[in-house]
Amino acid sequence: MRRSGEGLTFQDLRERGTSVLRDSGIPEAPRDAFLLLQNAAGLDAAGLLARLDQPPSDNAVALFRGFVARRAEREPAAMILGRTEFWGIPIRVAPDVLIPRPETEGIVEEALHLSARDGVVIRTIADIGTGSGCLAVALAAEFPDARIFAADISGSALDLARTNVEAAGVSARVRVIEGDLFEPMGSLSLEGGIDLVVSNPPYVRRGEIDSLAPEVSRWEPRAALDGGPDGLSVIRRLIEGARRFLRPGGFLVFEIGHDQGQGVLGLLERSGFVDGAVAPDLAGLPRVAAARRPEGNARLASPGARKGQECSVC
């Protein structure tokens, strides 16, 4: 890119930034270049589009060049900017937590689907491995009468989660607590009393982490990715803990890897859960597993799957 002061316009910067990112192998080069330019200029999308033929300030040029250089090294755009959006809510991010992704919004969608079926009331929610707190914040927005307990083993992640909870104005109903999986729930007398457990647990096979996109393998916390040799180590513990802490009839909803659907359904069934199902993400891949702790003879239709199917995408 040319130096500032040489007649550059926002459109020039946009095109040059896109070219640099494309040469670095970034599929989302046009989108990311526009997002980074928008933030460097301090404009919203409409404001930038209206000024594409205008010259940027020297400060905006310098900021944009710095952003592009970092993104070319495959640092995620959300990490560069320190924020992203989840469920329409601004979320701060940091190197200590996973960046919230659109696929994870499927957990919120499934929770809403389950609560609507037969008028199920969700009063108590546990978000296990809350990370940035994005799920807790989104669920607080959708379930205004629910108490939410957001747990994580990482102190730095919890600090960020508290920041996001406070920024969303839901700190009166979301309690951020430190501990491994369900460990802190016992001291809060929540055993057998939780209506909904949600989680985006580590589920990547340990030997496959280094083969992931550089944005993930080099920039995101390994502990939040590593699901053990088969990718299911944490999921097994999640299912066992949920069986203990869910009320009869309560729901477990969590994210899984695209090739784990059948294995996860087997784990749920062997642990005594019923109505196990896997819902697809926007790409049609198995992504969100859901099941119910049984309650008497009452049964709900399989959540998230087509009628007569346990896993429509496995």
Side-chain angles (χ1 to χ4, degrees):
M1 287 187 286
R2 290 178 294 178
R3 295 290 181 184
S4 58
E6 296 182 20
L8 284 174
T9 65
F10 280 112
Q11 180 62 22
D12 293 329
L13 284 178
R14 180 186 186 182
E15 291 174 356
R16 286 162 172 73
T18 298
S19 177
V20 169
L21 297 185
R22 188 177 283 124
D23 289 345
S24 298
I26 297 171
E28 309 85 3
R31 183 198 69 186
D32 285 0
F34 186 85
L35 177 65
L36 296 174
L37 182 56
Q38 176 188 322
N39 280 269
L43 298 168
D44 60 18
L48 178 56
L49 287 171
R51 293 170 174 81
L52 286 177
D53 61 347
Q54 298 179 16
S57 68
D58 287 350
N59 184 61
V61 172
L63 277 175
F64 181 64
R65 286 184 171 134
F67 288 164
V68 168
R70 291 171 65 181
R71 186 68 187 98
E73 291 296 320
R74 305 304 289 267
E75 183 176 356
M79 203 75 74
I80 294 170
L81 302 176
R83 64 184 183 279
T84 189
E85 192 172 275
F86 183 84
W87 203 251
I89 301 169
I91 298 290
R92 291 185 61 82
V93 298
D96 306 301
V97 302
L98 287 180
I99 297 169
R101 289 173 169 78
E103 293 86 351
T104 306
E105 292 184 352
I107 295 175
V108 183
E109 293 172 355
E110 193 65 19
L112 291 168
H113 168 78
L114 293 170
S115 68
R117 188 176 298 276
D118 293 339
V120 175
V121 178
I122 303 294
R123 295 187 178 90
T124 306
I125 301 172
D127 175 16
I128 304 300
T130 192
S132 66
C134 63
L135 279 173
V137 168
L139 291 168
E142 295 295 338
F143 296 97
D145 297 322
R147 295 181 307 153
I148 301 172
F149 299 88
D152 204 291
I153 197 170
S154 166
S156 54
L158 291 173
D159 288 341
L160 185 62
R162 290 188 186 96
T163 297
N164 284 320
V165 167
E166 291 170 3
V170 293
S171 54
R173 293 187 294 110
V174 178
R175 182 171 177 179
V176 179
I177 49 179
E178 184 170 1
D180 183 28
L181 297 182
F182 291 90
E183 180 184 68
M185 305 294 171
S187 60
L188 297 174
S189 301
L190 292 173
E191 187 168 346
I194 297 175
D195 299 304
L196 172 67
V197 170
V198 299
S199 182
N200 181 12
Y203 57 74
V204 181
R205 294 176 183 86
R206 185 170 297 154
E208 297 177 356
I209 293 176
D210 291 335
S211 66
L212 299 175
E215 286 85 349
V216 179
S217 63
R218 285 169 25 194
W219 292 97
E220 303 222 54
R222 201 173 187 90
L225 300 169
D226 190 347
D230 65 354
L232 298 174
S233 297
V234 179
I235 287 176
R236 290 187 184 94
R237 296 176 58 214
L238 174 71
I239 291 172
E240 283 301 300
R243 184 173 66 173
R244 175 184 169 193
F245 281 89
L246 280 170
R247 65 164 176 79
F251 296 100
L252 169 61
V253 184
F254 58 102
E255 188 169 328
I256 64 172
H258 68 89
D259 58 353
Q260 295 174 334
Q262 293 294 352
V264 166
L265 289 175
L267 290 174
L268 289 165
E269 183 178 1
R270 289 192 292 275
S271 294
F273 281 86
V274 296
D275 297 334
V278 177
D281 59 19
L282 294 175
L285 299 173
R287 190 59 63 191
V288 176
R292 180 172 64 86
R293 181 181 171 186
E295 179 180 36
N297 295 321
R299 292 179 63 85
L300 300 179
S302 296
R306 305 294 191 271
K307 185 176 180 180
Q309 295 178 318
E310 285 187 320
C311 180
S312 60
V313 289
C314 295

